[in-house]
Amino acid sequence: MPTSTSNRKTSDIVARTISSPPHLEHLSTLSKNVRAKCLYQFSEPVSPHIAARSSLEPISDASVLAAVHDELSTYATGEDGIAIVETAGGVLSPSPSGSSQADLYRPLRLPVFMVGDHQLGGIGTTISAWESLHLRGYDVRSVALFAEDRYDNHSYLKDYFAERDIHAFSIPPPPERMTNAVEDAQSMRQYYEQAGNLEDVTAFTELFLHAHDKRISDLKSMPAEADKAIWHPFMQHRERSKDTIVAMDSAYGDYFQTYSRQRESQASSASETALLKPAFDGSASWWTQGLGHGNPQLALTAAHAAGRYGHVMFAGAVHEPALRLAQTLIEKMGNPRLSKVFYSDNGSTGMEVAVKMALRAATVRNGWSPDDEILILGLKNSYHGDTIGTMDLSEPSIYNKKVEWYSGRGHWLDFPQVKMRKGQWVVEPPEEWEGAQATFGQGSTFDSLDDVFDFEMRSQDQSLYNRYCEVMLAGQEKAGKKIGALILEPILLGAGGMMFADPLFQRCLVEAVRNKSLNPRSSRDENEWAGMPVIFDEVFTGLYRLGRFSAASFLDVDPDIVVNAKLLTGGLLPLCTTTASQSIFEAFLSDDKSDALLHGHSYTAHAVGCAVANQSLDTMMKMDRDGTWTVFKESWSQPGHDSALPAVRVTGAWSMWSSAFVKAISHRSNVDYVFALGSVLAISLKDPAGASYASTAATGVRDKLFAGKPGEQWVIHSRVLGNVLYLMAAMTTSRETLEVVEEKVFAALE
Amino acid sequence: MPTSTSNRKTSDIVARTISSPPHLEHLSTLSKNVRAKCLYQFSEPVSPHIAARSSLEPISDASVLAAVHDELSTYATGEDGIAIVETAGGVLSPSPSGSSQADLYRPLRLPVFMVGDHQLGGIGTTISAWESLHLRGYDVRSVALFAEDRYDNHSYLKDYFAERDIHAFSIPPPPERMTNAVEDAQSMRQYYEQAGNLEDVTAFTELFLHAHDKRISDLKSMPAEADKAIWHPFMQHRERSKDTIVAMDSAYGDYFQTYSRQRESQASSASETALLKPAFDGSASWWTQGLGHGNPQLALTAAHAAGRYGHVMFAGAVHEPALRLAQTLIEKMGNPRLSKVFYSDNGSTGMEVAVKMALRAATVRNGWSPDDEILILGLKNSYHGDTIGTMDLSEPSIYNKKVEWYSGRGHWLDFPQVKMRKGQWVVEPPEEWEGAQATFGQGSTFDSLDDVFDFEMRSQDQSLYNRYCEVMLAGQEKAGKKIGALILEPILLGAGGMMFADPLFQRCLVEAVRNKSLNPRSSRDENEWAGMPVIFDEVFTGLYRLGRFSAASFLDVDPDIVVNAKLLTGGLLPLCTTTASQSIFEAFLSDDKSDALLHGHSYTAHAVGCAVANQSLDTMMKMDRDGTWTVFKESWSQPGHDSALPAVRVTGAWSMWSSAFVKAISHRSNVDYVFALGSVLAISLKDPAGASYASTAATGVRDKLFAGKPGEQWVIHSRVLGNVLYLMAAMTTSRETLEVVEEKVFAALE
C-alpha cells in the first residue's frame, strides 16, 4: 500500500482517495495535526477494478485522477505541511479501469512514500514494488515499515534503500487490539503519540518539504546551469539565456512537464502560475515521438534487453532482437528489392552508409575511377543529416555554408509542391519552370488530397514530368556528369523547410533514372538497380509518420536503399537502419577484404534499441490493424466517385489533424498555405521579409502557443523552420487532445 | 515463490535448492513421476541471508549457483522431462550473501515458472515480481496460482500475461488440513491426482519442452537467417556463412552465452558439446563494455529515465540527466579549458562535431576564406570514425580507399611507439626517422612502464621531439598550409591498428603547436586556444579504459576539445559528448543565426543514455575511490626509488592484465611485441607476410581461443586488427577471471 505526497505545500492534510472509512475516522480521531478526506469509497475491500464494477456510480481512471488533481490544487497556497494521497491497494494493484495504481497516477508523478512489508517474503515484495515504481519514472523518497525482529526486513531494507539515496525507516508495530473500545482507543492514542515523536517520523515531513523545495529550486536553476555547461544543438547561443531555456521536469504521454522562467515572468504574478506546466510536445520531440513519453511498455522492454544482453558486439554475430527487426522491416516495407539491413545510430550515419553503398555500386558497375567526381541527383531543400558526408548531399544553404569542409556534390532539382491555399488543394510548379504553368493547367487544383495521389487521373502532369526528367537527364549525360545515386525524401522534405513534394513528380523521377532505354547495361533481374541506385531517406517520413509503414508506398516505387530512424524506436532511443537490395549488397562481395563496406559503429544493432524498435513497430502495426486511426481517417474520407461504392471510402492519404481544421486555418489571413499528412501539420506563414530559414514570421505564433493564456491547463511547445510552423503528434495522441490543440492553434493564428 | 525450469531435457525430476524438507517429503511421497532432491536446507524458515548466518557450513551465492549448475548438468542426457529448481523465497528475496534470488541465478538464465499470489493485493505483487524478473533478462514462461473467487486474481492475471505471451493458469486450492494424518495424506493424494490431470497442468511440461526446443532451434537457425537479412559491419561477406556467424542467446557479466555451429562441428560429437557455451567477451563488445552485461542497475536506470522522460527534445531545453552528465564531465576531466558539452550519438558524429568546431574557430580567428583548403594535423594510423567527414581526418588506407567521397585532408606524422619486447619496455622511433635512432639512445629502453611516463627523466627525448616538431611545423608554415586543428587519440591509437604512442611525443606535439613564439595572436587568457585548436579523441581511451577518467591526464596537457563515447554508458547504449572550451564556443557567437553550430541529431542528449551514463560514471568513480582496482595496480607497482618511501608505490600506469603475464607472452616466439594499459592488452604477432589490416597472423590464435578445448567451461571471443590480437576486459572483470583468460591466451600462443 504505497502512498504518495503531493509536490504542493499545504496545511497539514491527508487527502485520501479510494479507501475504507473506518480506517480514515481512526486516523482523524486519534492523531493530531491530520485532516483527512475520503475522495472515493467502495463497500468491499477488494481490488478497485472489481469494486468499481459493483459501484453505484461509474468510476473511471480519469475521474479519479481529476479528483485528486483538483483536490491537491486547492492546497496550493504555500503554507507549510504536506498532502498525502493514499492509493487503493499496492503499487500495481488494478485501477478501476483495470490499469494499475502506478499507471493511473503517473501523469501527476507525485513523489512517493512507500509502505514496505515487514512479513516473511516482504523484502522481495518491497523491492519489486519499488522497481515497478522506479521504471515508471517515479521518485520514491521514503520507505517505512514496521520493525519486526525475527525476519528483520527493516535492517536489510534500510541498507538497501540508503544505497539508493532513499530514506527508509521502521516504527514499532501497533499494540494488540483490546476488547474494551475505550481502552483500545486510549492505547492507540498513546501509540500514535509515541510513534509520532520518533525521530524518523518527525523527519518525514521535513524530508518531503525539503525534497520538494529542492526539486523546484533545481528546476529554477537548471536553465542558468545549462547556459553554463551545455552547447545546444541548432541554436545561435547569443539568443540563448537562462530565461529562455526550458527546464523539463519529466514528460508523460503527449506532454512535457516544464518549468519556464519565461512564462513565469509573463504571468501577472508568480503565484498565479503553476510552477510546473504541462506543454504539449508539438514537435513530437524533434519528430521522434510515436508512443507517448514515459511509456511503461517501452521502458520495460528496454530494461529486459539491457538485462538479457546489455550491448553485445554485432560484428559477425547475431541476436534475436536485431534479427527480428531486420526481418520485420524487410517484410513490412513490401519492397521486393530489399534484402539486407545494416544498423547504425542515427539518420545521418544511416545516410552516410546509404551513400557509400550506392556510390560504390555505381562505381563498380560503371567502372569509374577513383579520380572521377561522382555526384548525386536530388531535390533542392533536401536535408539528410548533419555529418559532413550527408551535408554534401544537399545544395549550398544556410545549414552548410559555414561548415569548412562542406562541398555540395550533386545536381539538385526544383520540384512542384502540394499545398492547401484557402481551402483548395493545389500542386504548384516551381517558379523556375518558366512557361510550365500554362501546360500544367489540368493538374493544378484538386478536390481532395486523395486526388493528388490518383496518378492515373493525372496523365497530363505525368507526361509533363516525364519530358522534364528526360531533358534533365540528357543534359547531365551530355555534360559528362557521373551520377551515382538518386536520393529522395519521399513526399515530405523535412528539415530543409517542411515541403510537400508532388508524389507524381517524385515517382516520374525514379522511373526516369531507371529508364531501360537509357540503361542498356541493366540486367533481366527486375530487382537489380537500373540507371543509378535510388535511395529513399525515410528517416522522417517512414514507419507511420505519414500514416503508412512505408513512405515509398505513396509513390508506388521500390527504392534500392531505404533509411529509417526516428520513429523506429517509438521515440525513445537512437537507432537507424539502412536497408539495401541484394544487387547493392553484391557490389561489395569479393575476395578482397578492402572491397567490403568497412563501416560499423561500436553500438551497431544494440540490443536495447532493437528490442524497443520491435516493441514499437509491433504496437504501431497493431494500431494499424485494429483501426486505431479510423477516427482520423474518417475526417479525410470522401464520398466515392462511383455511386456503386459505399458512400464513404477510407482514403489513402489522411492526417491526424482534421480536414476541417486544416481547411479553416488555410483561410487565416497570415497563413500563406498549409498541409497535413499523417501526424504532420505544416503552416507556412506570410512573411513580408520573404521565406527563409532566418525568417521570424512563425516564431511569434510559436511563442504565443508556449506562453499560453491565464487559466489554461496546458500550453503547446512547438518548433519552427523558417516561416513554417509545424506541429507533429505522437501516433497515440487522441482526437480529443488534438481538438484542443487545433483550437489553440486556430486562436494563435489571429 | 518462483521456481525455474532448466533448459535441459531430463527424466522427470525436481531438483530443489534451499528449502525445508517436510515440504519435500510431502511432494515425493504424494505425487507420482516426481523425483525430488534437496540441495540446501536451513533449520529456520527465514530469509536465506539470515538463515545462512546461523548455518553450520558457510553458504555463498557462488556455491549455491555451482551446486545447481552441477546438479542440472547430470540430467543433460536428452531424455524427456523437465527439471524444476525451486528457489528459497520470492523473486527478490535475499540470497545467502544478501543479493537477490533473481540475481543469484541470473548467470544460468533458466526459463521461469512463477507462482503467483491469489490473495488480496496479489495482482500487484505478482506483476511486480514479473517486472523484476523481466528487467533482469529472464524469460518468464508460465505463471500459476490458486483459483480464488472473491479477489479473482487469476482472471485478471490470465488476461494480463496472455497479452505478454505468457501462459498463466490457476488450479483449485488444496483441501483443508485434516487432523487424522492418514486421512490427510489420502485427501492430499487425491488432490494431487486431480490437479495433475487438469489440462493446464498437463500442458505445463509440454509448454516448457516446446519452449526449450524452440529456443535451441531458433539459435541454430539464427545464423542462416542473419546471413539472409543482415549486412554486418566491417566484414567481407564472402567470408561469411551460416557456419561462422555467432548466435548470441544472451550475455551476463563478462560472458556471451553463445551457440556456434562452428564449435559444434569441431567437437567430436554434438552431444559432447554443451549447446550453449559461455564465451568471454574479449573485445569488451567492441570496446564499449564497462560494467558487465545484463547489469541490473543499468537496466533499471535506463527504465527509470524511459519512464520519467522517454526522449525529450533537447533544442533549447534541459533535463536533469543531461545537465548532470555535462557537469560531471567538465568537473572530472580536470581541464580548466573545458566548459561546454555538446551531445551526439556515437564517436563518429562526436568527432564530426569536434572538427566542425575547431575548423570554424581557426577560420574565424585566422580570417581564412571559404575557398581555402584547410587541413588537420594528426598521426598516421589514427582512426576517428566511419562517417566520411571523420574518414577525411585519416591518411589514405584500406579503410577509406574504396569510399568514393573520401579525401584525406591532413598532414599525418609517424610517431615513436611504446612496446614490450622480450620482457623489456622500449620506445621505438619510426623507421622514417633516419638517423634519429642514434640520438635516441638514452630514452629507448625502460625499467618500467611508469618510467616511460616520467617525462622529467626523459629530457633528452624531449629535446629531440621538440626539435622534430619545430622543423615539421616550420615546413608546413613555409609550404603555406592552413592547419585548422591538431587531432590526437591520446596514448592508444585504436582502430587504426592498436598502437601505443609515446606519450612524451604526443605531449611535445601539443606544446609545439601552442608555442607562443609561433602564435603572436594568442591572447593573455591561458585557457584560450593557441596556435590551433587541439582535439583529443578519447572515444576509446577515456573514462577509465586506460585506468583514468581522462586519457589526456597521462600527457599532462589540456586539449581544447575532448570527445567521449563507448564507456560513457558503461557499455549499454550509444551516446557521445564533445566537450569544448569557452574560446571555441565563442567563435560561434554572433547576431547571425548562420554562424551557429547547426548540428544536432534527433535523439541529442536522450534521457535514457544520459541517465545510464551518470550511473556508469558514478559507479566507475566509486570503484576508483574505493580501490577496486588496487589488486591490479599492485602487479604493476615497483619498489620506490627513494628508500624513504614505502617499498611499494602505486603506479600511474597500470593494467588489469598482470605484469608477469605481459612479460611472459612477450617472450613467446610468435609474438613480435606486446603492451597493456588499463583494461587493454595488445599482442602483435609476427607475420611473414608483413603487418597489415589484411594480415591473418592473429586470426589463427583468435579461432583457437574461440574453439576452446574439450571440457572447458568457457571459451574466449576476441577480435583482431591486422596482425594484432587484442583483448579488453570490462572494468568490473575480476582478477580470478583474467587469470584464467591469461592461461588460455598463453597456451594459445604456442
Side-chain angles (χ1 to χ4, degrees):
Chain A
M1 182 167 59
T3 58
S4 313
T5 77
S6 92
N7 59 338
R8 304 258 167 272
K9 295 187 178 187
T10 72
S11 45
D12 296 337
I13 274 172
V14 177
R16 318 181 75 246
T17 54
I18 307 169
S19 193
S20 51
H23 185 176
L24 194 62
E25 275 173 40
H26 193 72
L27 248 185
S28 306
T29 315
L30 299 174
S31 180
K32 291 181 300 185
N33 307 326
V34 171
R35 280 197 284 140
K37 183 170 174 183
C38 178
L39 296 183
Y40 287 92
Q41 135 178 22
F42 297 121
S43 50
E44 274 196 290
V46 291
S47 173
H49 76 295
I50 295 178
R53 279 183 220 149
S54 54
S55 172
L56 290 177
E57 285 180 63
I59 297 177
S60 70
D61 287 9
S63 65
V64 173
L65 185 68
V68 171
H69 177 267
D70 293 348
E71 182 69 25
L72 291 174
S73 298
T74 65
Y75 306 146
T77 55
E79 285 179 64
D80 277 356
I82 61 171
I84 298 179
V85 179
E86 181 179 347
T87 64
V91 163
L92 294 190
S93 284
S95 68
S97 69
S99 175
S100 76
Q101 296 292 310
D103 290 316
L104 160 57
Y105 294 106
R106 173 59 184 80
L108 301 175
R109 209 177 80 86
L110 303 175
V112 178
F113 166 45
M114 202 168 88
V115 179
D117 184 352
H118 62 285
Q119 300 169 89
L120 181 63
I123 291 176
T125 50
T126 302
I127 298 174
S128 278
W130 171 71
E131 291 185 346
S132 291
L133 287 168
H134 199 62
L135 73 83
R136 281 168 180 78
Y138 282 98
D139 294 333
V140 176
R141 296 257 160 85
S142 182
V143 179
L145 68 171
F146 288 134
E148 194 285 331
D149 287 338
R150 182 165 182 214
Y151 304 130
D152 200 22
N153 293 359
H154 55 284
S155 300
Y156 184 96
L157 290 171
K158 268 185 216 179
D159 293 346
Y160 184 90
F161 286 113
E163 277 176 37
R164 286 150 184 86
D165 284 332
I166 296 167
H167 173 245
F169 66 98
S170 59
I171 58 170
E176 293 283 317
R177 186 161 205 155
M178 295 179 170
T179 42
N180 179 313
V182 179
E183 284 176 22
D184 189 55
Q186 174 61 24
S187 144
M188 279 307 292
R189 198 169 289 125
Q190 201 179 347
Y191 171 72
Y192 278 123
E193 212 167 284
Q194 284 167 356
N197 287 329
L198 291 172
E199 200 178 319
D200 279 321
V201 177
T202 54
F204 174 82
T205 309
E206 276 311 302
L207 175 89
F208 273 84
L209 288 176
H210 176 75
H212 171 72
D213 290 346
K214 187 169 180 321
R215 180 182 179 189
I216 298 302
S217 70
D218 283 355
L219 281 166
K220 284 193 181 190
S221 65
M222 269 191 353
E225 292 185 40
D227 196 37
K228 266 177 73 179
I230 300 280
W231 190 326
H232 273 112
F234 277 103
M235 170 170 244
Q236 175 47 260
H237 285 69
R238 191 159 281 173
E239 291 166 11
R240 180 181 86 169
S241 80
K242 65 181 169 45
D243 296 327
T244 60
I245 295 171
V246 178
M248 305 280 189
D249 170 75
S250 55
Y252 191 73
D254 294 318
Y255 303 96
F256 300 135
Q257 188 71 286
T258 64
Y259 175 82
S260 158
R261 279 173 177 277
Q262 202 175 20
R263 200 163 45 234
E264 183 188 70
S265 64
Q266 282 165 359
S268 54
S269 88
S271 66
E272 271 185 32
T273 318
L275 288 169
L276 291 175
K277 191 98 175 184
F280 180 81
D281 177 4
S283 72
S285 275
W286 258 1
W287 322 0
T288 62
Q289 192 42 240
L291 300 172
H293 292 278
N295 181 312
Q297 266 78 40
L298 294 192
L300 197 57
T301 299
H304 177 66
R308 179 168 174 182
Y309 304 97
H311 166 58
V312 295
M313 193 239 21
F314 197 64
V318 64
H319 51 74
E320 187 266 341
L323 177 61
R324 188 154 85 79
L325 179 57
Q327 291 174 329
T328 302
L329 286 170
I330 291 168
E331 183 193 337
K332 298 296 173 186
M333 280 197 269
N335 172 347
R337 295 186 177 223
L338 302 180
S339 84
K340 294 282 183 292
V341 174
F342 190 100
Y343 285 100
S344 67
D345 300 329
N346 57 38
S348 285
T349 56
M351 281 302 296
E352 293 256 348
V353 169
V355 76
K356 282 185 184 180
M357 288 175 173
L359 298 193
R360 182 99 282 249
T363 298
V364 169
R365 186 185 294 172
N366 293 315
W368 291 333
S369 93
D371 298 331
D372 286 327
E373 189 193 11
I374 302 168
L375 305 177
I376 65 97
L377 182 64
L379 301 187
K380 287 185 180 168
N381 291 95
S382 295
Y383 194 85
H384 302 290
D386 308 336
T387 53
I388 293 163
T390 59
M391 289 192 136
D392 288 357
L393 300 174
S394 296
E395 84 279 15
S397 73
I398 188 173
Y399 284 115
N400 50 43
K401 73 176 181 183
K402 288 172 185 170
V403 172
E404 277 62 32
W405 281 4
Y406 165 77
S407 63
R409 318 196 208 199
H411 179 65
W412 296 279
L413 312 176
D414 278 305
F415 59 94
Q417 290 183 53
V418 180
K419 300 171 176 177
M420 174 174 274
R421 287 189 186 280
K422 304 216 176 296
Q424 172 73 58
W425 286 106
V426 297
V427 172
E428 291 182 350
E431 283 174 25
E432 286 72 6
W433 289 14
E434 276 172 38
Q437 202 96 31
T439 57
F440 208 72
Q442 192 198 344
S444 64
T445 65
F446 298 86
D447 290 341
S448 75
L449 188 50
D450 260 4
D451 287 351
V452 174
F453 288 92
D454 194 341
F455 301 152
E456 279 182 32
M457 297 289 290
R458 299 181 60 196
S459 55
Q460 196 177 333
D461 295 345
Q462 194 159 347
S463 304
L464 172 71
Y465 292 160
N466 284 343
R467 274 201 310 281
Y468 169 87
C469 293
E470 216 170 285
V471 170
M472 179 274 299
L473 287 171
Q476 296 298 311
E477 175 89 16
K478 201 173 158 194
K481 295 285 169 67
K482 295 183 169 63
I483 300 183
L486 169 64
I487 307 187
L488 295 178
E489 292 161 271
I491 312 289
L492 292 199
L493 284 72
M498 206 55 88
M499 294 171 181
F500 191 157
D502 184 356
L504 179 59
F505 178 74
Q506 291 190 319
R507 178 183 159 79
C508 290
L509 190 52
V510 173
E511 294 291 315
V513 303
R514 290 176 170 174
N515 191 324
K516 291 220 164 45
S517 66
L518 290 175
N519 302 297
R521 288 185 198 228
S522 62
S523 82
R524 279 154 303 182
D525 176 358
E526 63 179 11
N527 290 327
E528 191 170 330
W529 65 269
M532 61 185 79
V534 175
I535 302 172
F536 273 19
D537 174 351
E538 299 201 13
V539 168
F540 161 47
T541 57
L543 307 178
Y544 295 111
R545 180 57 75 205
L546 305 186
R548 291 189 186 178
F549 193 96
S550 153
S553 72
F554 280 105
L555 309 188
D556 197 22
V557 293
D558 294 326
D560 303 292
I561 300 173
V562 178
V563 183
N564 289 104
K566 296 196 199 283
L567 260 180
L568 182 59
T569 58
L572 188 63
L573 288 165
L575 183 73
C576 182
T577 55
T578 303
T579 307
S581 74
Q582 190 64 23
S583 77
I584 299 284
F585 177 75
E586 285 168 3
F588 290 81
L589 293 182
S590 91
D591 293 326
D592 184 349
K593 190 163 186 173
S594 76
D595 283 328
L597 178 62
L598 297 176
H599 194 117
H601 306 283
S602 306
Y603 286 94
T604 292
H606 54 103
V608 172
C610 292
V612 168
N614 282 316
Q615 173 75 36
S616 297
L617 294 183
D618 283 353
T619 305
M620 290 191 287
M621 290 187 296
K622 185 169 188 305
M623 290 169 76
D624 194 8
R625 280 197 308 276
D626 291 355
T628 309
W629 299 312
T630 303
V631 58
F632 303 113
K633 291 180 184 176
E634 278 166 358
S635 135
W636 290 84
S637 61
Q638 49 172 330
H641 295 289
D642 182 345
S643 58
L645 289 172
V648 172
R649 66 183 173 100
V650 171
T651 89
W654 59 276
S655 174
M656 293 172 75
W657 303 94
S658 81
S659 170
F661 164 68
V662 171
K663 196 165 271 192
I665 56 173
S666 77
H667 287 286
R668 284 300 212 190
S669 62
N670 54 345
V671 169
D672 183 13
Y673 65 87
V674 60
F675 66 79
L677 191 63
S679 54
V680 183
L681 169 73
I683 307 166
S684 182
L685 291 148
K686 289 177 186 164
D687 184 1
S692 84
Y693 184 75
S695 166
T696 56
T699 53
V701 182
R702 177 199 67 190
D703 294 345
K704 228 195 265 186
L705 289 171
F706 191 58
K709 291 178 186 165
E712 276 186 321
Q713 291 269 341
W714 47 272
V715 297
I716 296 173
H717 182 277
S718 62
R719 299 278 301 170
V720 304
L721 280 166
N723 57 331
V724 173
L725 175 90
Y726 65 85
L727 286 161
M728 216 175 290
M731 302 316 294
T732 46
T733 307
S734 71
R735 185 84 279 274
E736 292 68 36
T737 300
L738 289 184
E739 258 164 34
V740 182
V741 174
E742 289 173 356
E743 278 168 28
K744 289 176 194 278
V745 171
F746 187 78
L749 285 172
E750 268 172 353
Chain B
M1 183 166 59
T3 58
S4 312
T5 76
S6 91
N7 58 338
R8 305 258 168 272
K9 294 187 179 188
T10 72
S11 45
D12 294 338
I13 274 172
V14 177
R16 318 181 75 245
T17 54
I18 309 170
S19 194
S20 52
H23 184 174
L24 193 63
E25 275 174 39
H26 192 74
L27 247 186
S28 306
T29 314
L30 297 174
S31 180
K32 292 181 300 185
N33 306 325
V34 171
R35 279 196 286 141
K37 182 169 176 184
C38 179
L39 297 183
Y40 287 92
Q41 130 179 27
F42 296 120
S43 50
E44 275 196 288
V46 290
S47 174
H49 75 296
I50 296 178
R53 281 183 219 151
S54 54
S55 173
L56 291 177
E57 286 181 63
I59 296 177
S60 70
D61 287 9
S63 65
V64 172
L65 186 67
V68 171
H69 177 267
D70 293 347
E71 182 69 27
L72 290 175
S73 298
T74 65
Y75 306 147
T77 54
E79 285 179 65
D80 276 356
I82 60 172
I84 298 180
V85 179
E86 182 179 345
T87 64
V91 164
L92 294 190
S93 285
S95 69
S97 70
S99 174
S100 77
Q101 297 292 311
D103 290 315
L104 159 59
Y105 295 107
R106 173 59 184 79
L108 301 175
R109 211 177 80 85
L110 303 174
V112 178
F113 166 44
M114 202 168 89
V115 179
D117 183 352
H118 62 285
Q119 300 169 88
L120 181 61
I123 290 176
T125 51
T126 302
I127 297 173
S128 278
W130 171 71
E131 290 185 347
S132 291
L133 288 168
H134 198 62
L135 72 86
R136 283 168 178 79
Y138 282 98
D139 294 332
V140 176
R141 296 258 160 84
S142 182
V143 179
L145 69 171
F146 288 135
E148 194 285 332
D149 288 339
R150 183 163 180 217
Y151 303 129
D152 200 21
N153 292 359
H154 56 283
S155 301
Y156 184 95
L157 290 171
K158 267 185 217 180
D159 292 346
Y160 185 89
F161 285 114
E163 276 176 36
R164 285 149 184 88
D165 284 332
I166 296 167
H167 173 244
F169 65 98
S170 58
I171 58 171
E176 293 282 318
R177 186 160 206 155
M178 294 181 169
T179 43
N180 180 315
V182 178
E183 283 176 22
D184 188 55
Q186 173 61 25
S187 145
M188 279 308 292
R189 197 169 290 122
Q190 199 179 347
Y191 171 73
Y192 278 122
E193 212 169 285
Q194 283 168 356
N197 287 329
L198 291 172
E199 199 178 317
D200 279 320
V201 177
T202 54
F204 175 82
T205 309
E206 275 311 304
L207 175 89
F208 274 84
L209 289 176
H210 176 75
H212 171 72
D213 290 346
K214 186 169 181 320
R215 180 182 177 187
I216 298 303
S217 70
D218 282 355
L219 281 166
K220 285 194 182 190
S221 65
M222 269 194 346
E225 290 184 42
D227 196 38
K228 265 177 74 176
I230 301 281
W231 190 328
H232 274 110
F234 277 103
M235 168 170 246
Q236 175 47 261
H237 285 70
R238 191 160 279 173
E239 291 166 11
R240 181 181 85 170
S241 78
K242 64 180 171 44
D243 296 327
T244 60
I245 296 171
V246 179
M248 305 281 190
D249 170 75
S250 56
Y252 191 72
D254 294 318
Y255 303 97
F256 299 136
Q257 189 72 284
T258 65
Y259 175 82
S260 158
R261 278 173 177 278
Q262 201 174 19
R263 199 162 47 234
E264 182 189 70
S265 63
Q266 281 163 0
S268 56
S269 88
S271 66
E272 273 185 32
T273 317
L275 288 169
L276 291 175
K277 191 99 174 182
F280 180 82
D281 176 6
S283 72
S285 277
W286 258 1
W287 322 359
T288 63
Q289 192 41 243
L291 300 173
H293 292 278
N295 181 312
Q297 266 78 38
L298 294 192
L300 196 57
T301 299
H304 177 66
R308 179 168 175 181
Y309 304 96
H311 165 58
V312 294
M313 192 240 21
F314 197 63
V318 64
H319 51 74
E320 188 265 342
L323 177 62
R324 189 154 86 79
L325 179 57
Q327 291 174 329
T328 302
L329 287 169
I330 290 169
E331 184 194 336
K332 298 296 173 189
M333 280 198 267
N335 172 345
R337 295 186 179 224
L338 302 181
S339 83
K340 294 281 183 293
V341 174
F342 190 100
Y343 286 99
S344 68
D345 299 328
N346 57 39
S348 285
T349 56
M351 282 302 297
E352 294 256 347
V353 169
V355 76
K356 282 186 185 180
M357 288 176 172
L359 299 193
R360 182 98 282 248
T363 298
V364 169
R365 186 186 292 174
N366 293 314
W368 291 333
S369 92
D371 297 331
D372 287 327
E373 189 192 9
I374 302 168
L375 304 177
I376 65 98
L377 182 64
L379 301 186
K380 287 185 181 167
N381 290 95
S382 295
Y383 195 86
H384 301 291
D386 308 336
T387 52
I388 293 163
T390 60
M391 289 192 136
D392 287 358
L393 300 174
S394 297
E395 84 278 16
S397 74
I398 188 173
Y399 284 115
N400 51 44
K401 72 176 181 184
K402 288 173 185 169
V403 172
E404 276 63 31
W405 281 4
Y406 165 77
S407 62
R409 317 195 208 199
H411 180 65
W412 295 280
L413 312 176
D414 277 307
F415 58 94
Q417 290 183 52
V418 180
K419 301 171 177 178
M420 173 173 274
R421 287 190 186 279
K422 303 215 176 298
Q424 174 74 59
W425 285 106
V426 296
V427 171
E428 291 181 351
E431 285 175 24
E432 286 73 6
W433 288 16
E434 277 173 37
Q437 201 98 30
T439 57
F440 208 72
Q442 192 199 345
S444 64
T445 65
F446 299 84
D447 290 341
S448 75
L449 188 50
D450 260 4
D451 287 351
V452 175
F453 287 92
D454 194 341
F455 301 152
E456 280 182 31
M457 296 289 290
R458 299 181 59 197
S459 55
Q460 196 176 331
D461 295 345
Q462 195 160 346
S463 303
L464 172 71
Y465 293 160
N466 284 342
R467 274 200 309 282
Y468 169 86
C469 292
E470 217 171 287
V471 171
M472 178 275 299
L473 287 171
Q476 295 298 311
E477 175 89 15
K478 201 172 158 194
K481 295 284 169 68
K482 295 183 171 62
I483 300 183
L486 169 65
I487 307 187
L488 295 178
E489 292 161 271
I491 313 289
L492 292 200
L493 283 72
M498 206 56 86
M499 295 171 179
F500 191 157
D502 184 356
L504 180 59
F505 177 75
Q506 290 191 320
R507 180 184 156 79
C508 291
L509 190 52
V510 173
E511 294 292 315
V513 303
R514 289 176 170 176
N515 190 323
K516 290 218 166 44
S517 66
L518 289 175
N519 302 295
R521 287 184 202 229
S522 62
S523 83
R524 280 154 303 182
D525 175 358
E526 62 180 9
N527 290 326
E528 192 171 327
W529 64 269
M532 60 186 79
V534 175
I535 302 173
F536 273 20
D537 175 351
E538 298 201 13
V539 168
F540 161 47
T541 58
L543 308 178
Y544 295 109
R545 180 57 75 205
L546 305 186
R548 292 189 185 178
F549 193 96
S550 152
S553 71
F554 281 104
L555 309 188
D556 196 22
V557 294
D558 294 326
D560 302 292
I561 300 173
V562 177
V563 183
N564 290 104
K566 297 195 198 286
L567 260 180
L568 182 59
T569 58
L572 188 64
L573 287 165
L575 184 73
C576 182
T577 55
T578 303
T579 307
S581 74
Q582 191 65 23
S583 77
I584 298 284
F585 177 73
E586 284 168 4
F588 290 81
L589 293 181
S590 91
D591 293 327
D592 183 350
K593 189 162 188 175
S594 77
D595 284 326
L597 178 63
L598 298 176
H599 194 116
H601 306 283
S602 307
Y603 285 95
T604 292
H606 53 103
V608 172
C610 292
V612 168
N614 283 316
Q615 173 74 37
S616 298
L617 295 183
D618 284 353
T619 304
M620 291 191 287
M621 291 186 295
K622 188 171 186 305
M623 290 170 76
D624 194 8
R625 280 196 309 276
D626 292 354
T628 309
W629 299 312
T630 304
V631 58
F632 303 114
K633 291 179 184 177
E634 278 165 358
S635 136
W636 290 83
S637 63
Q638 47 173 332
H641 294 289
D642 182 345
S643 60
L645 289 171
V648 171
R649 65 180 173 102
V650 171
T651 90
W654 59 275
S655 174
M656 294 174 74
W657 304 93
S658 81
S659 169
F661 164 69
V662 171
K663 196 165 268 189
I665 55 173
S666 76
H667 287 287
R668 283 301 213 189
S669 62
N670 54 346
V671 168
D672 184 13
Y673 65 88
V674 61
F675 66 78
L677 191 64
S679 54
V680 183
L681 170 74
I683 308 166
S684 181
L685 292 148
K686 290 178 185 162
D687 183 1
S692 84
Y693 185 75
S695 166
T696 56
T699 53
V701 182
R702 178 199 66 190
D703 293 345
K704 229 196 262 186
L705 289 172
F706 191 58
K709 290 176 184 164
E712 275 186 320
Q713 290 270 340
W714 46 272
V715 296
I716 296 173
H717 182 276
S718 63
R719 299 277 301 170
V720 303
L721 279 165
N723 56 332
V724 173
L725 175 90
Y726 66 85
L727 285 161
M728 215 176 290
M731 303 315 296
T732 46
T733 306
S734 70
R735 185 84 279 274
E736 292 68 38
T737 300
L738 288 185
E739 260 163 33
V740 182
V741 174
E742 289 172 357
E743 279 168 28
K744 289 175 194 279
V745 171
F746 187 79
L749 285 172
E750 268 171 350

